[in-house]
Amino acid sequence: MDADRAARLGGYGTPEHIPLSWGYLAPELLPNDDLQRIGSRAARSRHAWMMTPPAGSPELRRILAAEYRADPNDVLVVSGGQQGLVFTMRTLAEPGSAVITESPSYPGAILAAQSAGLNLSSVPTDADGILVDRLADELERTRARVIYLQPSYANPTGAVLSAERRKQVLELAARHGTFVIEDDWARHLGIDGQTPPPLFTEDPHGHVVSILTLSKPASPGLRLGAVIARGPAGERLRASRTADDLCVAPLVQEIAHSLLTSNVWPRHLKRLRAELATRRDALTSAIHATTPEIRIPHLPHGGIHLWARLPQGTDTREICTAAYSAGVLVGDGRHFFVDEPPAPFLRFSYGAATEAQIAEGIRRLSELLER
């Protein structure tokens, strides 16, 4: 396990720090009042205090399955996306085997693979997602049986897998008998245009396993996600489910079901899209105006992260340490590269800080870079 990467993944800072790199939304962007009301009502339901099947309550699974055009029996409710990643990697790949990831990639997925005893192999990405020619070469070289991808608004780059590459990835998976773990964490965080449909919906052969979470768009305290899989992958995952726990807390499932079936949910997502657009644009404007030496190669159309490049030779560890001392949390790009020398990148997040905090955080960072 990479202790340095793990420590940074859980590095919260203090309440006084400006969160310019953080994986969750600011409290004012969350439907907290609605969740309190829904939670109080759910706690009075008899269903909240009864066991559900290990796969989750049938009512919740039916709701979660709909967007993926899946059978409810293909849905396994889990305690958040991170648990889903660890569980899926551990179940679908043998210890010591290879897992291919896009790079740069989500550090939590890297840690999940390491905790499952898997050997990481990376393939570079660009604004259109993973480089398919390189992926084909890596599949031939490693004989990997698992590929980890974020097709929509990847963390940290914001990349979206293009329509052509989606088709090519599915063809490669079918040809090599490989499972694709689709980390669909940002499905509800689209900003510009429609979020692409889940890769799962384009896969007729059961090679794609999708992982979703409500912890990102609804609340970090709502630890609920789902693994969606059909065919042999689904059978293996269902058979292994009770090794982790007998079920996700029924009260949490009841709250999630009530939220997703209420008029609160579409209203919240509409407001969230507008707020994220405003904060994303405020962040990019502040960087362009205050720190011209920082280059933004790709403007994300969804998600909550912005991937930015510093001049060659910049020590990102030193910058992030100095920023922390100055009261600003910034993501060190080193932690997002898998098995290749990291380039000088920083990850910024626009979902956790207000516009005023964004302006002040970038101002402090600019002073550090000048020194």
Side-chain angles (χ1 to χ4, degrees):
M1 185 71 69
D2 186 335
D4 182 39
R5 202 188 310 263
R8 294 307 303 156
L9 188 66
Y12 300 103
T14 69
E16 288 71 40
H17 276 86
I18 296 174
L20 287 191
S21 184
W22 185 232
Y24 294 98
L25 297 173
E28 68 271 13
L29 297 184
L30 301 173
N32 289 324
D33 292 343
D34 294 309
L35 281 172
Q36 288 176 7
R37 188 184 70 257
I38 290 170
S40 296
R41 188 169 65 242
R44 296 193 295 271
S45 166
R46 63 184 179 85
H47 298 294
W49 307 106
M50 299 172 62
M51 286 285 290
T52 70
S57 79
E59 296 81 11
L60 178 58
R61 289 159 63 199
R62 190 175 303 114
I63 295 297
L64 296 174
E67 194 164 15
Y68 291 80
R69 301 206 296 270
D71 188 294
N73 292 322
D74 296 334
V75 177
L76 296 173
V77 177
V78 294
S79 297
Q82 188 65 30
Q83 189 201 37
L85 279 176
V86 175
F87 167 61
T88 302
M89 288 188 181
R90 189 180 64 232
T91 303
L92 297 183
E94 297 294 328
S97 64
V99 57
I100 297 174
T101 72
E102 53 200 345
S103 185
S105 189
Y106 167 50
I110 298 170
L111 293 170
Q114 291 174 335
S115 73
L118 306 179
N119 297 319
L120 286 155
S121 177
S122 70
V123 173
T125 64
D126 61 18
D128 291 323
I130 196 165
L131 301 182
V132 178
D133 289 347
R134 297 283 293 274
L135 174 61
D137 292 341
E138 204 63 15
L139 282 168
E140 291 287 352
R141 187 184 72 82
T142 64
R143 304 297 178 187
R145 288 294 173 262
V146 172
I147 303 167
Y148 168 80
L149 296 178
Q150 302 172 79
S152 295
Y153 317 131
N155 175 9
T157 64
V160 174
L161 189 63
S162 70
E164 181 181 3
R165 292 188 191 178
R166 290 163 72 95
K167 180 180 178 182
Q168 292 170 336
V169 165
L170 292 175
E171 289 173 350
L172 282 174
R175 187 184 315 152
H176 290 270
T178 303
F179 295 119
V180 177
I181 297 176
E182 175 185 29
D183 190 347
D184 207 22
W185 68 277
R187 168 130 314 271
H188 301 104
L189 302 175
I191 298 175
D192 305 320
Q194 291 292 317
T195 301
L199 194 63
F200 182 93
T201 63
E202 301 176 29
D203 167 42
H205 304 298
H207 290 282
V208 176
V209 176
S210 289
I211 299 174
L212 65 92
T213 178
L214 294 184
S215 304
K216 299 294 187 183
S219 171
L222 188 64
R223 302 308 305 169
L224 187 136
V227 176
I228 304 176
R230 59 167 70 97
E235 292 174 7
R236 289 170 63 176
L237 289 161
R238 284 189 292 275
S240 301
R241 179 66 184 92
T242 53
D244 282 353
D245 55 26
L246 295 181
C247 72
V248 173
L251 175 59
V252 174
Q253 296 190 60
E254 188 72 12
I255 292 171
H257 179 266
S258 297
L259 174 65
L260 294 175
T261 55
S262 72
N263 58 10
V264 168
W265 186 237
R267 186 172 69 240
H268 164 63
L269 294 182
K270 182 179 179 180
R271 172 177 169 265
L272 181 58
R273 172 187 288 255
E275 289 284 349
L276 289 178
T278 298
R279 297 186 188 206
R280 178 200 61 185
D281 295 345
L283 177 59
T284 55
S285 296
I287 291 173
H288 287 316
T290 312
T291 55
E293 63 269 48
I294 296 181
R295 186 171 63 86
I296 302 170
H298 169 67
L299 184 70
H301 297 296
I304 55 176
H305 303 301
L306 187 72
W307 190 233
R309 181 162 191 145
L310 295 173
Q312 194 63 33
T314 303
D315 187 334
T316 56
R317 187 199 301 262
E318 181 180 342
I319 292 294
C320 291
T321 300
Y324 188 91
S325 297
V328 183
L329 293 178
V330 180
D332 187 346
R334 292 182 306 114
H335 298 122
F336 299 87
F337 290 95
V338 179
D339 56 3
E340 72 274 38
F345 278 88
L346 298 177
R347 187 195 73 172
F348 296 97
S349 305
Y350 47 84
T354 64
E355 290 181 72
Q357 287 177 314
I358 288 169
E360 175 60 17
I362 295 300
R363 185 193 66 78
R364 294 184 196 180
L365 183 63
S366 175
E367 292 180 353
L368 292 174
L369 292 172
E370 287 178 4
R371 294 202 293 266

